[in-house]
Amino acid sequence: MNDLYPDELPLALKPIWFYDDCFPRSAALKLTSVFLHRNYEMDMHTHDFFELNVTINGKGAHYANGRRYEITAGDVVIVPPECYHGYHKSSELNVFHVLLHKNYFLKYAGDLNTLSAFRILFNESTQTDNRIVPVFRIDGEPYDRVLNLLWQLDELERKTNLSAERSDYLLSYSLTFALIVLLCKEYTRQYVSEDRSDDTGIIAASEYIHKNYAQKIMLDELCSIGMMSKTLLCDKFKRYYGYTPLEYVNRYRVLVAKNMIIETDKSITEIAQETGFFDASHFLKTYRKYENVNPADLRTQLLSSLNINRNQ
């Protein structure tokens, strides 16, 4: 132990946080959560979602994977799922936290995965003990722009917590997208030699899925579009998206279906047909696999949430 920081932190009283802790099912539109922690300290804990942290003033240390990273204003920490980490302050430490639901990344996967830095910063490794925790620093104009976006998101967070307006949720999505792109751009400027030659095939295949999810999609078809073998295509999809190509097809269909459940009055059967599923039974089974909830229950929860907020 040095004068300011211990060598390691103890386990927190609540060591594991889950999606339902921060993204309640009653708030079905909530895909991001943003808040400022003042005078922040937190013992070792983990969660099953990504967390993006930006220190805005003070000094402290972030602990992860047996390492200690000293941090101050302008330092960015990106914590992947299932990674134990914690904070210790040496002076007042104010940290903005951005929690990111898995469906947020799927919603914007086609665009974000074109950025080499995104695949580095938000890489969900399957090896829990070796998860990379990116820590880097921004300053000057990029820092000012990041801080401005964070304050806007903080204001939107308070608004959506009081009243579940769809327009405010959509605005929070777009501001978060701008925040991630800005951080990726700054990380690339500092550390990455941008080379897109490796992206072309996987982007072409994923964009084909995004445009043709309602149709039958075959693996051979995706290989032809991406101009690569089945082995290489599957390897790239696992590395970029965390799914095999055909798993990604179903995952994307489920996300589109979720948006239709939230945004339209169409029946579950109609939604199943319009998103490329064979029948309602197949749709229900696949939806529950990825979302752990029945689609009809999701609609009920959303309507209940909207009615509660209207009556407050």
Side-chain angles (χ1 to χ4, degrees):
M1 176 174 181
N2 63 23
D3 293 338
L4 295 177
Y5 310 112
D7 292 331
E8 58 184 24
L9 298 179
L11 200 63
L13 292 177
K14 180 177 172 59
I16 302 177
W17 293 75
F18 298 98
Y19 273 104
D20 287 350
D21 292 321
C22 301
F23 299 97
R25 293 185 180 183
S26 60
L29 287 171
K30 194 177 186 67
L31 298 181
T32 66
S33 182
V34 181
F35 50 93
L36 175 62
H37 244 137
R38 298 183 183 275
N39 210 25
Y40 185 54
E41 277 194 319
M42 182 69 169
D43 288 332
M44 301 300 287
H45 64 287
T46 187
H47 35 70
D48 56 0
F49 45 82
F50 267 98
E51 180 179 3
L52 189 165
N53 296 336
V54 180
T55 301
I56 64 169
N57 65 277
K59 293 183 179 181
H62 180 262
Y63 294 73
N65 290 341
R67 294 186 60 185
R68 183 182 68 222
Y69 306 86
E70 294 189 18
I71 55 173
T72 187
D75 283 323
V76 179
V77 178
I78 299 175
V79 184
E82 300 177 27
C83 175
Y84 275 90
H85 67 114
Y87 280 87
H88 184 85
K89 63 183 176 68
S90 62
S91 65
E92 182 178 2
L93 185 67
N94 295 339
V95 180
F96 257 116
H97 301 263
V98 182
L99 311 184
L100 298 156
H101 195 284
K102 58 186 175 183
N103 285 342
Y104 180 85
F105 290 114
L106 195 61
K107 188 178 185 70
Y108 294 101
D111 292 321
L112 290 174
N113 274 286
T114 64
L115 305 174
S116 297
F118 175 76
R119 299 195 303 274
I120 296 171
L121 297 176
F122 294 91
N123 177 30
E124 190 172 351
S125 169
T126 57
Q127 298 180 358
T128 304
D129 294 336
N130 295 315
R131 292 185 186 277
I132 298 172
V133 180
V135 180
F136 65 102
R137 182 175 179 77
I138 54 173
D139 51 26
E141 185 198 8
Y143 173 73
D144 293 338
R145 293 171 63 190
V146 163
L147 191 57
N148 181 52
L149 287 168
L150 288 169
W151 283 119
Q152 291 183 67
L153 285 164
D154 182 64
E155 181 181 357
L156 279 170
E157 178 81 10
R158 291 194 295 271
K159 289 180 67 176
T160 53
N161 286 341
L162 292 173
S163 177
E165 294 290 336
R166 286 189 174 94
S167 58
D168 289 330
Y169 280 119
L170 292 175
L171 185 55
S172 71
Y173 300 165
S174 63
L175 290 175
T176 302
F177 182 86
L179 173 66
I180 293 173
V181 171
L182 182 56
L183 291 174
C184 287
K185 182 178 180 180
E186 183 60 16
Y187 187 88
T188 296
R189 185 186 69 79
Q190 295 185 42
Y191 303 107
V192 180
S193 175
E194 188 75 59
D195 180 4
R196 297 189 158 204
S197 60
D198 189 47
D199 297 341
T200 306
I202 198 72
I203 292 171
S206 59
E207 287 184 346
Y208 180 82
I209 293 170
H210 297 165
K211 292 177 181 178
N212 297 279
Y213 61 85
Q215 311 301 320
K216 188 173 182 178
I217 297 176
M218 305 294 290
L219 184 58
D220 288 340
E221 193 176 14
L222 296 176
C223 290
S224 177
I225 292 165
M227 294 185 292
M228 61 186 77
S229 67
K230 290 182 181 179
T231 300
L232 184 57
L233 183 74
C234 289
D235 177 70
K236 283 184 175 291
F237 260 84
K238 289 288 287 185
R239 180 158 55 90
Y240 280 49
Y241 301 115
Y243 298 100
T244 67
L246 296 184
E247 285 173 340
Y248 182 82
V249 170
N250 280 333
R251 189 69 188 94
Y252 189 77
R253 284 170 173 164
V254 165
L255 181 62
V256 174
K258 183 175 183 177
N259 289 338
M260 293 176 70
I261 291 167
I262 293 171
E263 298 290 345
T264 76
D265 295 324
K266 293 181 178 180
S267 70
I268 299 301
T269 299
E270 287 177 305
I271 292 173
Q273 292 173 345
E274 291 183 22
T275 51
F277 289 97
F278 301 121
D279 52 46
S281 176
H282 181 224
F283 169 60
L284 293 175
K285 181 178 179 180
T286 307
Y287 194 97
R288 283 194 295 264
K289 173 183 176 182
Y290 289 108
E291 290 293 317
N292 297 315
V293 66
N294 187 293
D297 292 340
L298 169 66
R299 179 168 278 170
T300 300
Q301 292 164 1
L302 175 64
L303 291 174
S304 175
S305 174
L306 292 172
N307 288 333
I308 289 172
N309 279 282
R310 290 194 186 104
N311 293 330
Q312 286 180 341

